[in-house]
């Protein structure tokens, strides 16, 4: 355990000490001395962000329900806490036992966004764990990683001992059980890595060698160890009704990003938006039954005291029995003032009946995602919604008394023109005109429209994985075009930093040669890169220059369809041939139907039978 006297002293000198004390309702503390396996769940961002992540709560409770096994949490300390820890000589520690992370058997990172990678390196450094996997000894924990970003694990290949590709509920326990046997065997770390590499979904990067062509593209990737699989197949939970889900959640002392009950209603998506990585990697769609969801909701409301249940999934309005589920939840919890919310709403599946149910408890702002400013571009990305869908949805909302509307868009989408960009402004103005076209006595509240734009980042396992990203200058030109044309005080225009999106694109489609750049950027002080107040683009550019890595090669370059991509060794269940076909259909502005209406041949049903793929 760390020095408690020093710990208590520095808590008085930092912002939000509750980030570091643990002791929350429903947290679990076991005696570490009695534990056969000790697992530290690491979220490479601050407490408030990490505690809003549903995956943390699932794995934390899942592991802690096992006998002889403990899971404790660790988050990236904010800069003030890090400074104090270094000054007092306190290593990175877990919340539950305040035990140094280095003393655990596993340090498991969840990688939710690429710009957290320098925090992974920083947390290893603060723990006293060697940054490069090849430099770790038997006394060091195994450093592992999962989450959506590991569908291209290569930028972290020299840092992470092994990756978990896909859904973690089943495979995590398989790993821990193998480790129990390993501890008794007296074998070395290499033997354990060989053992876990036999599990479906496990990728050990040190077991492979990558060679390159003269133009910098990948020539091949070959196993170095006999038995190492050439293809890593993702793990999926086939029946969500039988999958583990916690009956209680840790309740923080301080406000977190999502201060509510996240009730996961299904996984996967059938829509086929061509920019969306999650829509591919989480296929197929698997729904939880209403009975199961009501049982979970009862337990979570009773055990947490939260006053809001958020129905979470990639496209919550596509749940096949959504109206019935919302009605049942409202009927149960209306008197307790527990509200129901949907994170975002698809315009074409928007229902007045559901809206009326939700508003019985409380009104919140409404969020829609048209994604593009013109119908032509929405067809390119296969969004499958029309302007009529938007006007219908907004009309419903205004009639029911909503006056705060957020619309999400992307700029820099493939084939985008200035006309498409200005269409974003036009949609905002159209929504404003709809509000004021109502009779004065029918208008409720003060109208507030937010147009929020992100910069398009091409991602692995999407039909746009071959596309070159817009340059930073081009993003800025498009942003300024919108800024110059939006002159209405009722409309707020927000946008992402193109420099950050550029780096995200580099890391999203990078290969293992980027590892040295990541470490160099961290050495220069880069961390919390997703936080605008700490992001330092110039340091990143210096790191690229000093490690002789060209960021444009990864972000801006259009790939040939025949090129070997860094993540091609991963089997997501969706065939590369399907992604190529969708890429070509995008160029031709052809739509692909929702696969709930009939199979579109993505290939997922060859490796999985169930859900809508029956």
């Amino acid at each position: 355990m760390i020095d408690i006297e020093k710990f208590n002293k520095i808590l008085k000198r930092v912002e939000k000490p509750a980030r570091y004390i643990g002791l929350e309702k429903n947290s679990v503390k076991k005696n570490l001395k009695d534990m056969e396996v000790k697992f530290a769940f690491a979220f490479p961002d601050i407490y408030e962000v990490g505690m809003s992540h549903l995956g943390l709560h699932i794995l934390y409770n899942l592991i802690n329900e096992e006998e002889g096994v403990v899971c404790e949490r660790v988050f990236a300390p904010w800069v003030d806490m890090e400074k104090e820890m270094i000054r007092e000589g306190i290593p990175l520690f877990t919340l539950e036992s305040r035990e140094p992370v280095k003393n655990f058997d596993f340090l498991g990172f969840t990688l939710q966004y690429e710009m957290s990678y320098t925090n992974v390196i920083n947390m290893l450094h603060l723990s006293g764990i060697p940054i490069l996997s090849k430099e770790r000894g038997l006394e060091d924990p195994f450093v592992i990683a999962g989450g959506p970003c590991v569908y291209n694990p290569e930028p972290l290949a020299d840092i992470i001992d092994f990756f978990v590709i896909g859904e973690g509920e089943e495979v995590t326990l398989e790993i821990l059980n193998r480790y129990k046997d390993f501890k008794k065997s007296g074998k070395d770390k290499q033997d354990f890595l060989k053992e876990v590499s036999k599990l479906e979904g496990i990728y050990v990067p040190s077991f492979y060698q990558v060679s390159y062509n003269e133009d910098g593209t990948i020539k091949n990737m070959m196993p170095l160890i006999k038995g190492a699989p050439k293809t890593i197949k993702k793990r999926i939970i086939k029946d969500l009704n039988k999958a583990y889900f916690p009956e209680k959640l840790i309740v923080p002392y301080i406000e977190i990003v999502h201060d509510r009950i996240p009730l996961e209603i299904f996984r996967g998506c059938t829509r086929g938006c061509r920019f969306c990585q999650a829509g591919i990697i989480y296929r197929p769609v698997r729904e939880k039954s209403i009975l199961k969801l009501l049982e979970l909701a009862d337990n979570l409301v009773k055990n947490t005291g939260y006053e809001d249940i958020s129905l979470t999934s990639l496209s919550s309005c596509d749940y096949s029995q959504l109206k019935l589920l919302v009605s049942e939840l409202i009927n149960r919890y209306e008197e307790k003032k527990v509200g129901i919310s949907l994170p975002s709403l698809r315009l074409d599946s928007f229902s007045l009946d559901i809206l009326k149910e939700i508003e019985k408890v409380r009104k919140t702002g409404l969020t829609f995602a048209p994604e593009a400013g013109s119908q032509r571009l929405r067809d390119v990305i296969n969004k499958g919604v029309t302007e009529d869908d938007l006007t219908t949805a907004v009309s419903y909302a205004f009639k029911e008394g909503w006056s705060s509307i957020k619309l999400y868009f992307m700029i820099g989408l493939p084939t985008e023109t200035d006309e498409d960009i200005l269409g974003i402004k036009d949609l905002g103005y159209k929504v404003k005109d709809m509000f004021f076209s109502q009779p004065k006595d029918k208008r409720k509240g003060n109208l507030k429209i937010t147009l929020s734009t992100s910069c398009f980042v091409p991602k692995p396992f999407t039909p746009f994985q071959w596309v070159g990203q817009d340059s930073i200058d081009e993003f800025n030109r498009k942003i300024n075009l919108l800024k110059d044309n939006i002159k209405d005080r009722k409309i707020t225009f927000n946008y992402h930093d193109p420099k950050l999106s550029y780096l995200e694109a580099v890391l999203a489609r990078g290969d293992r040669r980027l590892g040295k750049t990541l470490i160099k950027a961290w050495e220069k002080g880069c961390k919390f890169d997703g936080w605008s107040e700490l992001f330092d683009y110039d340091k990143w550019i210096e790191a690229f220059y000093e490690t002789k890595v060209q960021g444009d090669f990864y972000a801006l370059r259009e790939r040939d369809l025949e090129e070997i991509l860094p993540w091609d060794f991963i089997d997501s269940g969706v065939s590369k041939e399907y992604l190529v076909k969708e890429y070509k259909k995008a160029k031709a502005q052809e739509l692909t139907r929702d696969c709930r209406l009939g199979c579109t041949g993505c290939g997922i049903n060859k490796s999985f039978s169930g859900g809508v793929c029956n």
Side-chain angles (χ1 to χ4, degrees):
M1 185 185 286
I2 60 170
D3 188 314
I4 294 302
E5 195 174 315
K6 288 182 177 179
F7 173 69
N8 290 333
K9 186 166 65 173
I10 65 175
L11 279 186
K12 296 172 184 175
R13 301 200 293 256
V14 300
E15 176 192 12
K16 297 187 180 179
R19 289 169 169 165
Y20 313 107
I21 60 173
L23 305 172
E24 310 100 320
K25 177 182 172 67
N26 296 330
S27 62
V28 178
K29 186 174 179 185
K30 296 183 178 182
N31 188 338
L32 295 184
K33 292 177 182 175
D34 298 334
M35 295 297 108
E36 206 174 344
V37 186
K38 300 187 288 292
F39 188 101
F41 188 107
F43 197 98
D45 210 320
I46 60 168
Y47 176 90
E48 295 95 313
V49 176
M51 284 301 294
S52 300
H53 174 55
L54 176 58
L56 180 152
H57 293 278
I58 292 174
L59 289 181
Y60 178 84
N61 286 285
L62 169 72
I63 295 171
N64 278 322
E65 287 189 13
E66 294 289 304
E67 273 191 45
V69 182
V70 63
C71 179
E72 299 195 349
R73 296 163 294 147
V74 58
F75 303 93
W78 188 241
V79 287
D80 59 344
M81 182 64 170
E82 179 184 334
K83 182 180 175 182
E84 295 294 338
M85 287 167 61
I86 292 171
R87 184 161 70 177
E88 296 291 344
I90 294 178
L92 192 65
F93 56 90
T94 59
L95 267 59
E96 281 75 7
S97 299
R98 295 174 194 155
E99 183 73 15
V101 165
K102 187 179 171 68
N103 296 339
F104 281 71
D105 299 304
F106 292 92
L107 178 59
F109 286 95
T110 180
L111 303 178
Q112 298 295 311
Y113 33 86
E114 290 83 0
M115 299 316 296
S116 68
Y117 290 176
T118 50
N119 276 12
V120 171
I121 297 170
N122 197 49
M123 290 172 76
L124 289 172
H125 173 69
L126 292 173
S127 304
I129 299 169
I131 291 165
L132 294 174
S133 59
K134 65 183 180 183
E135 295 177 358
R136 292 183 203 124
L138 195 59
E139 74 282 0
D140 294 306
F142 284 100
V143 178
I144 70 176
C149 288
V150 306
Y151 278 86
N152 178 21
E154 289 303 273
L156 291 170
D158 293 336
I159 295 167
I160 302 297
D161 291 318
F162 64 91
F163 293 89
V164 179
I165 313 293
E167 296 167 348
E169 291 96 325
E170 293 173 349
V171 69
T172 300
L173 295 183
E174 291 171 16
I175 292 166
L176 299 183
N177 286 328
R178 298 280 174 112
Y179 185 75
K180 288 178 184 177
D181 296 335
F182 162 73
K183 281 185 82 172
K184 297 169 188 170
S185 71
K187 294 180 179 179
D188 62 21
K189 294 187 87 166
Q190 194 78 351
D191 291 315
F192 179 71
L193 291 174
K194 287 178 184 176
E195 190 61 31
V196 291
S197 71
K198 297 173 186 175
L199 296 173
E200 187 173 271
I202 300 301
Y203 169 53
V204 182
S206 62
F207 287 179
Y208 301 83
Q209 184 175 50
V210 181
S211 58
Y212 301 92
N213 297 308
E214 285 186 16
D215 64 358
T217 58
I218 293 173
K219 186 176 182 179
N220 58 46
M221 178 177 180
M222 301 299 293
L224 294 170
I225 303 289
K226 187 180 178 181
K230 290 198 76 172
T231 301
I232 309 296
K233 188 177 179 183
K234 77 172 182 185
R235 292 293 292 254
I236 53 174
I237 305 297
K238 294 193 174 183
D239 186 346
L240 282 196
N241 286 318
K242 295 177 182 175
Y244 179 84
F245 199 86
E247 295 185 353
K248 55 189 178 182
L249 304 170
I250 301 168
V251 183
Y253 290 117
I254 56 175
E255 187 177 343
I256 59 175
V257 175
H258 299 307
D259 236 343
R260 56 195 181 219
I261 293 168
L263 190 63
E264 184 187 37
I265 56 179
F266 69 91
R267 289 182 190 173
C269 184
T270 58
R271 294 289 179 166
C273 296
R274 291 173 179 138
F275 59 85
C276 181
Q277 183 189 52
I280 296 292
I281 63 175
Y282 293 124
R283 288 188 181 200
V285 164
R286 293 142 291 154
E287 292 191 352
K288 287 181 183 172
S289 70
I290 284 187
L291 285 176
K292 182 67 175 177
L293 290 168
L294 292 174
E295 175 193 328
L296 290 170
D298 281 345
N299 288 325
L300 291 168
V301 168
K302 179 177 68 179
N303 292 327
T304 66
Y306 278 124
E307 296 181 342
D308 186 25
I309 299 172
S310 177
L311 304 181
T312 65
S313 72
L314 292 177
S315 182
S316 296
C317 281
D318 287 337
Y319 182 66
S320 60
Q321 300 180 77
L322 183 63
K323 184 181 174 185
L324 178 58
L325 174 63
V326 170
S327 297
E328 286 289 333
L329 289 170
I330 293 291
N331 289 339
R332 287 185 181 215
Y333 304 123
E334 189 176 355
E335 286 186 9
K336 297 179 181 178
K337 299 297 180 186
V338 174
I340 311 299
S341 62
L342 294 166
S344 64
L345 303 167
R346 275 190 67 92
L347 297 168
D348 58 338
S349 54
F350 190 80
S351 166
L352 177 60
D353 295 333
I354 292 170
L355 187 67
K356 284 180 175 176
E357 288 292 333
I358 289 172
E359 71 168 330
K360 283 181 181 177
V361 179
R362 71 175 71 90
K363 267 191 178 67
T364 55
L366 289 179
T367 301
F368 301 107
E371 307 293 2
S374 71
Q375 192 57 48
R376 182 200 70 81
L377 195 52
R378 285 192 289 275
D379 289 347
V380 167
I381 64 175
N382 204 49
K383 184 62 182 175
V385 298
T386 66
E387 202 164 305
D388 286 345
D389 292 322
L390 174 64
T391 55
T392 301
V394 171
S395 294
Y396 284 162
F398 287 157
K399 284 175 186 173
E400 290 301 311
W402 264 267
S403 58
S404 178
I405 304 285
K406 288 183 181 178
L407 300 177
Y408 279 116
F409 299 90
M410 278 184 282
I411 56 173
L413 287 162
T415 78
E416 185 179 67
T417 65
D418 285 359
E419 188 179 347
D420 300 317
I421 290 288
L422 292 173
I424 295 172
K425 183 238 7 176
D426 294 341
L427 284 178
Y429 276 63
K430 182 166 190 173
V431 170
K432 186 202 80 167
D433 292 342
M434 288 171 63
F435 181 83
F436 287 108
S437 67
Q438 299 177 105
K440 275 192 176 180
D441 60 325
K442 299 288 184 184
R443 298 177 207 160
K444 297 171 185 174
N446 293 316
L447 178 66
K448 182 184 178 184
I449 300 168
T450 302
L451 304 180
S452 185
T453 61
S454 63
C455 298
F456 169 66
V457 176
K459 294 280 179 139
F461 294 102
T462 69
F464 292 152
Q465 65 183 359
W466 294 278
V467 171
Q469 187 187 40
D470 274 359
S471 68
I472 291 171
D473 287 345
E474 180 63 1
F475 275 131
N476 281 324
R477 187 190 69 78
K478 291 176 176 180
I479 288 167
N480 288 328
L481 180 64
L482 267 177
K483 282 168 72 176
D484 293 344
N485 280 276
I486 296 173
K487 301 181 183 297
D488 195 294
R489 287 181 301 169
K490 295 288 184 184
I491 300 175
T492 301
F493 172 49
N494 297 329
Y495 55 91
H496 284 198
D497 183 349
K499 292 177 179 177
L500 193 66
S501 298
Y502 168 79
L503 287 174
E504 186 183 338
V506 172
L507 295 174
R509 294 191 294 177
D511 53 48
R512 56 177 64 187
R513 290 172 294 189
L514 276 173
K516 59 187 178 184
T517 309
L518 275 168
I519 294 170
K520 179 63 72 173
W522 167 76
E523 287 172 348
K524 288 178 172 294
C526 292
K527 57 193 170 192
F528 287 106
D529 294 300
W531 293 76
S532 57
E533 62 265 46
L534 293 181
F535 175 54
D536 193 329
Y537 178 73
D538 292 339
K539 287 178 180 175
W540 274 97
I541 297 306
E542 290 171 12
F544 283 124
Y545 178 77
E546 291 176 22
T547 55
K548 295 181 172 58
V549 169
Q550 296 289 327
D552 291 1
F553 178 80
Y554 301 106
L556 307 187
R557 181 175 61 89
E558 181 129 357
R559 278 89 172 140
D560 187 277
L561 292 177
E562 303 303 314
E563 180 178 330
I564 296 174
L565 303 172
W567 51 90
D568 274 349
F569 67 93
I570 294 174
D571 178 8
S572 72
V574 174
S575 72
K576 196 172 183 181
E577 292 74 22
Y578 178 78
L579 297 178
V580 169
K581 185 174 73 172
E582 283 296 298
Y583 180 39
K584 291 176 177 176
K585 288 178 77 172
K587 288 182 172 180
Q589 298 172 35
E590 294 177 15
L591 291 170
T592 297
R593 67 173 177 265
D594 184 330
C595 60
R596 286 180 191 259
L597 305 176
C599 181
T600 58
C602 77
I604 193 73
N605 59 0
K606 290 179 182 175
S607 54
F608 176 89
S609 59
V612 298
C613 291
N614 270 332

